[in-house]
Amino acid sequence: MDRFPEACVERTVEWVDTDASGHQHNSAILRWVEAAEAELFRSLELPDYFPSAPRVQQVVNYKAKLWFGQRITATVKVSALGRTSLTLAFEVTSDAGDVAAYGTVTTAYVPQGATSAQPWPEHLVRAVKAERAGRITE
């Protein structure tokens, strides 16, 4: 079984992250997850991932509210690497350790100039499946 890498980022819930109810806006979860995703692929030295990996599916399960000023941790982990797709499982937890949201983000490899998904480049597959894979913290 492959061991896939993961990464996490810590943030503070800023005023801009909240909605009229005072807790996190639903879009804040995906911004924090995307920051953790960026940290993961920077650490894997795969800067060519982002311009070629559009989202094809996002699933978010909201479990708890996060409030202005609260610290959070967003963690992403590669959960599946297919021929043309990659799925990241994520979890956003509060400073108390409670899960505020969890879900998955699936991307596909669509290199510049292509109009459909292509097989992932070999260097990306090797980096994602590397034995040294582990947890990366910003």
Side-chain angles (χ1 to χ4, degrees):
M1 181 172 173
D2 293 321
R3 182 175 171 217
F4 291 125
E6 66 181 75
C8 66
V9 296
E10 296 179 2
R11 297 285 188 266
T12 299
V13 179
E14 301 293 346
W15 188 250
V16 71
D17 298 323
T18 63
D19 64 13
S21 302
H23 61 76
Q24 89 277 12
H25 188 272
N26 63 69
S27 65
I29 296 294
L30 289 174
R31 282 189 281 109
W32 296 323
V33 167
E34 191 170 87
E37 179 184 8
E39 182 61 27
L40 174 64
F41 285 96
R42 274 193 297 271
S43 69
L44 293 173
E45 299 178 2
L46 295 169
D48 54 334
Y49 168 78
F50 266 99
S52 303
R55 273 94 179 98
V56 295
Q57 183 182 54
Q58 297 179 139
V59 177
V60 182
N61 300 286
Y62 297 95
K63 299 277 292 177
K65 296 174 182 171
L66 297 167
W67 302 96
F68 173 68
Q70 196 170 12
R71 295 288 295 171
I72 64 94
T73 301
T75 304
V76 298
K77 180 178 184 174
V78 176
S79 63
L81 178 63
R83 190 176 71 84
T84 62
S85 67
L86 181 145
T87 300
L88 297 164
F90 70 83
E91 190 174 84
V92 175
T93 58
S94 71
D95 49 1
D98 299 323
V99 176
Y102 68 93
T104 59
V105 173
T106 301
T107 64
Y109 180 61
V110 182
Q112 283 191 326
T115 58
S116 61
Q118 307 290 317
W120 290 104
E122 188 57 37
H123 75 280
L124 185 138
V125 173
R126 276 195 312 272
V128 169
K129 289 186 171 181
E131 286 293 322
R132 62 182 169 74
R135 188 181 188 114
I136 301 155
T137 302
E138 175 185 56

